[in-house]
Amino acid sequence: MKRLFTRDNAIRLLLIVALGGTVWKGFLKTPEAASHLRPKAFYDDLVNDGENTAIMKERHRDVLEATDKAVRVRLDELRAGVYVPGAGSLVSEESLVRAIRKDVATRARAVDDEVRAWEKLERARRLEASGWRMPLGCSPVAAAPASGQAAPGGEGGQ
């Protein structure tokens, strides 16, 4: 007689349950499911991610500004003769000037990153305030343009 409850069947059942749980948790991470099934947590995650990103970008900009100030002080010290690099040192007036030019470009990019991070946070807050839900399913594909007519954003018939 064949037994239904065996060790192998118990392991199979546990694996199926674990796989099902993994699929369900993965499904809940998608915006389609999360915005419908757990909107509070969905928006909390969006806003929290936006806040963390903005804070991180702000700190990064602060570090770059501090680095830039330190390099400028070192350059001033070098020009005033207060700082004299040791023999074989890679620090020279030219290298410090190059570092300052690089810092200026890096800081400009960091400022842009910070602005985008704050915009991301504001978008998340606007989505939460509007109660937006991502639709389930796919939107229909637009009909192909008739021959000779321009496609949206395109140049016309080819």
Side-chain angles (χ1 to χ4, degrees):
M1 172 144 208
K2 199 170 191 184
R3 290 179 17 180
L4 190 59
F5 189 74
T6 64
R7 181 174 179 259
D8 288 344
N9 287 343
I11 290 173
R12 285 186 186 106
L13 179 65
L14 288 173
L15 286 175
I16 289 171
V17 168
L19 180 61
T22 302
V23 168
W24 178 251
K25 284 189 70 129
F27 176 67
L28 286 179
K29 297 275 185 201
T30 65
E32 293 88 353
S35 65
H36 288 281
L37 299 176
R38 48 181 208 101
K40 172 89 172 102
F42 174 71
Y43 288 117
D44 287 348
D45 289 348
L46 271 183
V47 170
N48 188 36
D49 181 51
E51 289 172 346
N52 288 340
T53 301
I55 290 168
M56 179 195 63
K57 296 300 181 181
E58 191 174 273
R59 287 180 179 166
H60 185 243
R61 183 186 45 80
D62 290 345
V63 167
L64 290 173
E65 286 177 3
T67 302
D68 185 49
K69 286 178 186 176
V71 172
R72 287 178 191 275
V73 166
R74 181 60 64 169
L75 180 60
D76 290 342
E77 289 174 347
L78 182 71
R79 287 179 174 162
V82 175
Y83 170 73
V84 178
S89 174
L90 297 176
V91 177
S92 66
E93 185 172 350
E94 296 83 27
S95 69
L96 292 172
V97 169
R98 280 194 314 269
I100 289 172
R101 271 188 274 151
K102 179 180 176 252
D103 285 346
V104 168
T106 305
R107 281 180 37 219
R109 189 177 68 235
V111 169
D112 289 343
D113 290 346
E114 185 180 351
V115 168
R116 281 193 306 275
W118 286 109
E119 289 171 351
K120 175 183 177 180
L121 176 59
E122 289 307 311
R123 277 193 309 273
R125 288 181 175 155
R126 282 194 310 268
L127 280 176
E128 181 178 24
S130 71
W132 174 84
R133 303 286 188 264
M134 181 173 265
L136 300 171
C138 298
S139 60
V141 176
S147 91
Q149 290 183 336
E155 286 292 320
Q158 293 177 338

